[in-house]
Amino acid sequence: MTEFAPELAQPLLLSGDARARGRGQAAEGDADRVRAATVGRVETARAEGMIDSAAEDYLARQRAFHAEHDPEGMAELSGIAEGFGLSEDDLFVHLHLGTLRDLKSGAKLDGDGCSAWAAPEGPDGPIVAKNRDYSGLHLGIQRVTLHSGPDVTTGAMLCVGSLGSPAAYSSGMNARGLMLADTQVAVRTHRVGWLRYFLMTRILASCGTVAEALALIASRPHAGGGTLIMADASGDTAAVELGAAGAGLTRGGIVWRTNHFVLPDRADDTLFPDGDRIAGNSRERFAYLERSLPGLSPVIPDATKLMCTHRDSGPAAAPLCQHGETEASQTLSTAIYSCRFGSLTFSQGNPCAGKWQTYRMPS
């Protein structure tokens, strides 16, 4: 990659209240493809017996929790359902499929993966970067969106996600400079609480700093599972492990996570699903980032090179860029957020293909 010159691109603009923004997704979406990637997966899960009476009871309690604590998130989901002509109940179930898999003791569901990290300083910093590893069904519905509205008190949100799902379904940054990405972690323990797919959007809509985000996270119980990687304009960073018993925190400096918990009081809660290719190399990717990030120059071109790494890229390299076929879980995109430039450098598909675009936060 001798010359790095991504083309400037425009996000899908979504404005108005949360319901209107959800409904607006349908303006640029293939409804059949969205249905296959969301409701279609729910139908498969039902046919396989994953959604039994215990799961239905848990989902009902989760709906009551989110209606009380995140009405904007539920309004967005309602708008999405209306726009695409889908069942709101099924969309809510879709967002919980990873949790329901865990409750079935690791039932096979090829899905989330991801590698994410944040660096607090440097010529382009602070930076948050993520390789999004997810079902290939989302290849055609992945979008970069720009959200504004009365509940987005941070000014605007530039998000990477999927049509049919909440705004910050994978990562995002807001106009105040807070950047956020998640990774999936299957866990043994869940409870009724905030699901991170709703939580991420609410953080970007209402928090301008890592400190504010951590205060919001601490104010509510969480369903459990997954991590958040964050950085803000001051250079503050955090990695948060969202355990059902409470959030674990690594604060400051370079932070990174893959698909397992690493903090001593939470590591044993990780559930490694049998046969899950991406979850199975989580420790390998974590160790590679641990070795590579301290020596990385935190500029966007060098960050893109790191995220293109395959197992055969060099001695002791790990598959940060993961390839799959058809519906298999694979690296759908790379997102690199720069606070200094208010930009998202984005690869639609595997980053090694070199097809990069830049999206900018309006000034």
Side-chain angles (χ1 to χ4, degrees):
M1 197 181 300
T2 57
E3 182 179 350
F4 185 70
E7 65 173 312
L8 187 64
Q10 297 299 318
L12 171 62
L13 302 178
L14 297 171
S15 61
D17 62 21
R19 186 184 183 95
R21 297 197 307 274
R23 192 168 54 244
Q25 288 190 17
E28 195 185 298
D30 181 333
D32 289 339
R33 199 172 262 186
V34 172
R35 186 190 186 284
T38 56
V39 175
R41 297 180 82 214
V42 172
E43 292 172 348
T44 298
R46 290 189 190 281
E48 294 175 350
M50 185 181 297
I51 306 174
D52 55 16
S53 59
E56 295 284 9
D57 176 69
Y58 177 74
L59 289 165
R61 289 182 288 142
Q62 280 290 94
R63 283 204 67 134
F65 175 91
H66 285 88
E68 177 182 357
H69 296 288
D70 187 19
E72 295 90 352
M74 293 302 292
E76 182 185 23
L77 194 69
S78 178
I80 292 168
E82 180 182 344
F84 287 109
L86 299 173
S87 162
E88 182 181 341
D89 287 345
D90 282 347
L91 290 179
F92 189 79
V93 175
H94 175 255
L95 296 173
H96 284 80
L97 284 180
T99 301
L100 298 179
R101 173 193 61 189
D102 296 350
L103 293 172
K104 283 289 188 180
S105 299
K108 180 73 171 68
L109 178 67
D110 199 18
D112 289 344
C114 308
S115 306
W117 55 271
E121 57 189 3
D124 297 348
I127 283 177
V128 166
K130 173 179 173 175
N131 272 7
R132 185 188 189 197
D133 304 327
Y134 198 39
S135 168
L137 287 170
H138 283 245
L139 275 170
I141 62 172
Q142 185 173 235
R143 292 291 188 279
V144 177
T145 55
L146 181 69
H147 295 251
S148 60
D151 60 305
V152 186
T153 60
T154 53
M157 305 183 296
L158 185 64
C159 300
V160 174
S162 296
L163 299 175
S165 301
Y169 191 45
S170 177
S171 63
M173 74 178 301
N174 64 31
R176 289 184 59 191
L178 181 64
M179 302 169 287
L180 170 70
D182 80 322
T183 73
Q184 165 69 1
V185 178
V187 294
R188 304 177 190 279
T189 310
H190 288 282
R191 66 172 174 180
V192 174
W194 219 330
L195 189 72
R196 78 178 186 279
Y197 298 128
F198 290 103
L199 171 65
M200 292 168 67
T201 298
R202 199 49 36 209
I203 288 173
L204 289 175
S206 61
C207 301
T209 66
V210 168
E212 291 174 2
L214 294 177
L216 179 61
I217 291 167
S219 71
R220 299 286 190 276
H222 299 277
T227 76
L228 300 179
I229 295 291
M230 297 184 286
D232 66 22
S234 75
D236 195 5
T237 61
V240 182
E241 298 184 355
L242 293 169
L249 177 64
T250 303
R251 185 86 177 266
I254 299 173
V255 293
W256 64 96
R257 288 296 186 271
T258 51
N259 307 120
H260 61 285
F261 287 164
V262 300
L263 296 175
D265 58 344
R266 284 166 181 78
D268 289 344
D269 197 36
T270 303
L271 179 66
F272 287 97
D274 292 338
D276 191 314
R277 173 177 57 89
I278 286 182
N281 60 42
S282 176
R283 290 191 179 98
E284 182 183 359
R285 286 179 284 120
F286 184 91
Y288 184 72
L289 290 173
E290 186 174 35
R291 294 191 301 270
S292 302
L293 287 171
L296 179 75
S297 173
V299 294
I300 293 169
D302 287 357
T304 65
K305 292 177 185 178
L306 175 65
M307 303 312 270
C308 291
T309 303
H310 302 109
R311 185 172 278 114
D312 61 358
S313 296
L320 299 185
C321 178
Q322 311 215 45
H323 291 253
E325 296 180 0
T326 62
E327 299 179 5
S329 193
Q330 57 197 276
T331 299
L332 298 186
S333 64
T334 298
I336 300 171
Y337 297 92
S338 166
C339 189
R340 177 176 181 182
F341 298 116
S343 66
L344 162 63
T345 301
F346 184 70
S347 165
Q348 182 80 259
N350 288 99
C352 61
K355 298 177 181 178
W356 294 95
Q357 297 175 310
T358 295
Y359 296 82
R360 299 207 179 273
M361 180 72 70
S363 56

